[in-house]
Amino acid sequence: MAKPATLGFMLLVLYCVQFSSTAEETFDVRQHLSTVTRYEASKDIKDNAVVSSNIPDQCSPIHLNLVARHGTRAPTKKRMKELETLSTRLKEVLQTAKERGSSSEKLPSWLWEWSSPWKGKIKGGELISLGEDEMYHLGSRVRERFQELFSDEYHPDVYLIRASQIPRASASAVAFGMGMFSGRGKLGPGRHRAFAVLSENRASDIMLRFHDCCQNYKAFRKNQEPSVHKLKEPVLDEITRSLAARYELNLTTKDISTLWFLCKQEASLLNVTNQACDLFSNDEVKLLEWTDDLEMFILKGYGNSLNYRMGVPLLEDVILSMEQAITAKEEGHAPGSYEKARLRFAHAETLVPFSCLIGLFLEGSEFDQIQREEPLKFPPKPPQKRTWRGSTVAPFGGNNVIVLYSCSANNTSKYFVQVLHNEQPIPMAGCGGTDFCPFEVFKEKIGAVHLKHSYDNLCNANLQQESKPFMSKLIEIFSWIFTGKSNDNESQKIEL
């Protein structure tokens, strides 16, 4: 008969094995595709679930702002060409392996006959039917959730809809509007109605495509991209060696990078997870996802203040719309005579900086750091957990909803703001970690520090002095990672 201690140990081992097996079974690669993650898959990620504040009964919504990324789209023309090249490259690699006498049993059977699903397609980058569906149902859910805001007869001055001039963004606005106003008109069996979608010329759209118009940002990004590539290189090298040994194929880091892109496209757009994605282990997928998230952090997020500060025209517009709604409420304007919602549809390059402007996805003292315009530490490398994930920060269809509430006067503040990220309440670091914040606090703690900057000064003035320290810091970090030495006398505690 087994001793109690031995029996306890055996039970512990069995539990660990069972737990590990369950974790493997529940791994869904579709939730680890960074910004290529579909909205539906992103909503199922529970990593950052928070408990919502209870909105007091005496509070009611009086205005809503939406900043949304377009829905799921096709790969661009350039990326489709890369997949065509991959098809040719794989044939060469497989032929070389065959001539070398490598074991064909190790190779997935699909590799031999694979060709790009987008072969022969001439155009790319458009919103696909999955994306239309995402945006249509998002519009329906927003209307259902805030019925009192969307009860008025449609008028473009009451429900202002804007999109960038890129077709996938305007198509997303149309799909959203069809869901939002379904049953409100007389067009067709669905009783749809026409509605207006406004766009600014992309060459001057500093509201939704500020990154396209900001010369200093373009220069900063061009300078940083080689350094970002070097930071990603060790992961790609490691996985390249691993896959080359696993399948006895002469693969390069470029092959691995393209196969990872193929995995993301297959899993997200085609729901195929047993081909390109199956080449990688779960841990390798997490590492590749991290490299994408790292790039997004450095080039679009908290890695440099210019990344998000250039979005000040958008933040200014959001705050102004809320101030106008408060004025309409205070002056007792008649229903239908003032704006109730301002709905915007753009890109990850819009949504990510805006999320940073309002202080989302921050931990501990990081809010104080961005107030001082200091770059944050990079997102920690797996297996460490991190808040900054492209699959939750900016998936296809990702969105921030900023709802303005009017509360009866017995509160310390009369107007409050709640932020929903991908339809879920999210804490704001600038409001003490709550998701329900007095409007004046939101404006002063979150808005004012950014709005003291002008877009023209940020984007057209000479910012080389500001950019140079960050570049030096990045090089120093890079040196520290791969040599273990620091240019500074103080030890750097940076965990990648």
Side-chain angles (χ1 to χ4, degrees):
M1 187 174 179
K3 294 180 180 179
T6 305
L7 184 61
F9 176 75
M10 290 171 64
L11 288 171
L12 179 62
V13 170
L14 285 170
Y15 171 79
C16 290
V17 170
Q18 184 179 12
F19 179 83
S20 174
S21 174
T22 302
E24 286 293 312
E25 287 172 10
T26 56
F27 182 85
D28 187 346
V29 69
R30 291 168 298 185
Q31 297 179 348
H32 295 270
L33 306 177
S34 195
T35 57
V36 187
T37 303
R38 271 214 326 263
Y39 191 63
E40 180 184 351
S42 175
K43 287 191 70 182
D44 290 335
I45 297 173
K46 304 301 182 186
D47 288 358
N48 303 316
V50 297
V51 178
S52 171
S53 299
N54 290 321
I55 307 298
D57 292 338
Q58 63 267 34
C59 299
S60 57
I62 61 170
H63 190 271
L64 181 147
N65 274 282
L66 170 72
V67 178
R69 186 190 179 196
H70 58 75
T72 302
R73 65 166 172 87
T76 62
K77 186 178 178 180
K78 178 183 177 182
R79 300 313 297 264
M80 288 191 295
K81 284 184 178 178
E82 286 181 25
L83 293 178
E84 291 273 12
T85 303
L86 176 66
S87 179
T88 304
R89 167 70 182 153
L90 286 176
K91 286 179 174 62
E92 295 171 357
V93 169
L94 290 168
Q95 183 61 33
T96 301
K98 187 177 180 181
E99 292 171 356
R100 205 171 54 228
S102 299
S103 173
S104 60
E105 293 178 2
K106 291 186 176 183
L107 295 173
S109 58
W110 66 269
L111 273 175
W112 295 96
E113 302 297 329
W114 183 81
S115 64
S116 171
W118 296 275
K119 183 178 180 179
K121 199 166 180 289
I122 298 172
K123 303 287 186 181
E126 77 281 4
L127 189 72
I128 63 173
S129 58
L130 282 170
E132 294 175 5
D133 191 67
E134 286 166 345
M135 304 311 290
Y136 177 86
H137 289 291
L138 176 61
S140 296
R141 289 193 300 272
V142 170
R143 183 181 76 174
E144 181 65 25
R145 185 168 185 168
F146 300 101
Q147 294 181 30
E148 54 268 71
L149 285 178
F150 296 98
S151 59
D152 286 8
E153 183 70 21
Y154 168 78
H155 190 281
D157 292 342
V158 178
Y159 304 112
L160 177 64
I161 306 175
R162 288 190 176 275
S164 81
Q165 206 177 31
I166 307 302
R168 57 181 170 269
S170 55
S172 295
V174 170
F176 180 96
M178 290 179 71
M180 173 71 71
F181 303 117
S182 176
R184 298 291 184 87
K186 298 180 180 179
L187 300 176
R191 293 176 54 227
H192 294 291
R193 63 152 302 129
F195 51 88
V197 177
L198 307 179
S199 290
E200 176 80 24
N201 188 300
R202 63 185 295 180
S204 57
D205 188 358
I206 64 171
M207 189 86 68
L208 297 180
R209 288 191 68 84
F210 39 78
H211 57 283
D212 252 1
C213 309
C214 186
Q215 297 308 313
N216 283 328
Y217 173 71
K218 287 181 178 180
F220 162 79
R221 181 167 181 142
K222 185 177 180 180
N223 288 335
Q224 294 305 306
E225 283 174 344
S227 298
V228 173
H229 179 70
K230 285 182 180 179
L231 286 172
K232 294 166 65 172
E233 251 179 10
V235 170
L236 289 172
D237 287 343
E238 179 187 341
I239 294 175
T240 299
R241 288 192 297 270
S242 179
L243 262 69
R246 189 181 306 154
Y247 301 112
E248 297 183 4
L249 294 174
N250 187 22
L251 296 167
T252 66
T253 54
K254 181 170 175 53
D255 296 331
I256 296 304
S257 181
T258 310
L259 283 167
W260 169 234
F261 174 74
L262 173 62
C263 161
K264 292 185 288 186
Q265 298 300 309
E266 284 185 338
S268 186
L269 279 64
L270 308 177
N271 230 22
V272 174
T273 59
N274 61 351
Q275 290 193 163
C277 293
D278 236 11
L279 294 173
F280 305 103
S281 69
N282 292 351
D283 287 341
E284 288 165 348
V285 165
K286 291 175 183 177
L287 283 170
L288 290 165
E289 175 194 19
W290 173 76
T291 64
D292 288 347
D293 294 349
L294 180 64
E295 180 174 344
M296 179 181 72
F297 182 88
I298 295 171
L299 299 180
K300 297 174 187 172
Y302 287 116
N304 184 274
S305 62
L306 179 60
N307 292 346
Y308 49 92
R309 284 265 162 88
M310 63 178 170
V312 291
L314 176 56
L315 179 61
E316 195 171 37
D317 188 58
V318 167
I319 291 176
L320 177 63
S321 71
M322 291 193 281
E323 289 175 333
Q324 291 171 340
I326 290 172
T327 299
K329 175 73 174 176
E330 296 286 323
E331 296 179 355
H333 293 188
S337 66
Y338 59 93
E339 182 184 278
K340 284 195 168 181
R342 198 168 290 191
L343 312 167
R344 308 168 188 81
F345 300 86
H347 310 270
E349 291 83 356
T350 315
L351 180 63
V352 174
F354 182 72
S355 295
C356 294
L357 278 171
I358 59 177
L360 306 186
F361 307 105
L362 293 173
E363 298 177 10
S365 63
E366 290 178 335
F367 182 74
D368 295 328
Q369 285 180 253
I370 67 165
Q371 300 284 295
R372 298 191 298 267
E373 302 189 21
E374 297 173 1
L376 305 185
K377 286 184 180 180
F378 293 158
K381 186 178 178 181
Q384 297 178 76
K385 287 194 172 183
R386 66 185 185 279
T387 304
W388 186 267
R389 291 185 59 194
S391 53
T392 52
V393 175
F396 286 130
N399 58 85
N400 287 324
V401 172
I402 302 94
V403 188
L404 177 67
Y405 284 86
S406 172
C407 302
S408 55
N410 60 344
N411 279 288
T412 53
S413 180
K414 196 172 180 182
Y415 297 99
F416 285 78
V417 174
Q418 184 180 46
V419 175
L420 308 176
H421 180 75
N422 298 341
E423 302 175 72
Q424 297 300 317
I426 186 166
M428 293 173 276
C431 292
T434 180
D435 64 295
F436 195 62
C437 179
F439 174 66
E440 291 303 321
V441 174
F442 179 90
K443 195 165 71 166
E444 291 304 316
K445 295 286 188 181
I446 293 175
V449 69
H450 300 305
L451 297 181
K452 67 184 180 184
H453 299 278
S454 76
Y455 182 81
D456 190 56
N457 285 339
L458 286 166
C459 290
N460 299 320
N462 186 348
L463 290 185
Q464 286 186 0
Q465 283 190 328
E466 180 180 330
S467 298
K468 189 174 179 181
F470 176 74
M471 183 62 179
S472 301
K473 186 178 180 71
L474 195 61
I475 292 170
E476 187 174 342
I477 292 167
F478 177 70
S479 173
W480 181 85
I481 296 167
F482 300 113
T483 68
K485 298 176 182 178
S486 172
N487 294 330
D488 196 333
N489 290 329
E490 292 185 36
S491 65
Q492 302 247 357
K493 295 184 178 179
I494 298 174
E495 296 180 346
L496 293 184

